[in-house]
Amino acid sequence: QSFGPQSRRVFASWSDGGGVSHAVIAGDAAASFTATFDTEHEVAVRPSPIPLNLLVAGSPVVGAATSWWREGSPHTIDAPTPQVVSPGRRYVFASWSDGGVASHSIAPTAPATFEATFRLQFLLTVASAHGSPTGAGWYDESAAAAFGVEATVPGATGTRYVFTGWSGDSTYPRPDSSLSMDGPKTVTA
């Protein structure tokens, strides 16, 4: 039985405990039977900006899912994080539209949509045969990623290694540099 957009009433029980359809023995006395109905609401759960993995009530979902939930019944929604989608590219949980943490319980009392927003990140790989390079790791899309290595590194007795430049996604001639993370990047000293 429908009573509004994205809401409906569904049979719950009979006052005599019988199922949806059941036999009743008519006796000499009058009897009345009352049907009880529960309210269900249509609930949508979806990721943004692209179809990613979610867990809805413990079940895996890729992309959006729409279901009918009994009013006020608790369900857990979970946005697993991080989610690697290709080498050097991943999405990390940012927020749910209701303000909840990555995994939390909801109990809608009306039709609802819950959207998990994710941020795109790219991997910066920093390599050097000498010294201790810094700055490698995951960065949000368009972030400025700083990286570096020592200008000089001691070697064997009477030897030292002098930085001469970067190769790969940066050709900056100084040991400390940065670049905009618009994709996975690799730099080598």
Side-chain angles (χ1 to χ4, degrees), residues 136-152:
W138 292 95
Y139 291 88
D140 287 346
E141 177 182 33
S142 299
F147 58 94
V149 70
E150 298 93 331
T152 59

Side-chain angles (χ1 to χ4, degrees), residues 58 71 145 172:
E71 185 172 270
Y172 196 67

Side-chain angles (χ1 to χ4, degrees), residues 95-176:
S95 65
W96 277 103
S97 57
D98 67 341
V101 296
S103 179
H104 67 286
S105 183
I106 56 174
T109 57
T113 298
F114 297 91
E115 184 170 271
T117 302
F118 290 82
R119 289 188 327 270
L120 177 59
Q121 292 186 329
F122 297 111
L123 180 62
L124 172 61
T125 303
V126 183
S128 176
H130 307 287
S132 300
T134 60
W138 292 95
Y139 291 88
D140 287 346
E141 177 182 33
S142 299
F147 58 94
V149 70
E150 298 93 331
T152 59
V153 177
T157 305
T159 305
R160 70 179 179 161
Y161 298 96
V162 177
F163 175 85
T164 57
W166 293 101
S167 64
D169 289 307
S170 175
T171 55
Y172 196 67
R174 299 187 51 159
D176 294 317

Side-chain angles (χ1 to χ4, degrees), residues 173-184:
R174 299 187 51 159
D176 294 317
S177 186
S178 67
L179 49 80
S180 179
M181 294 301 290
D182 56 1

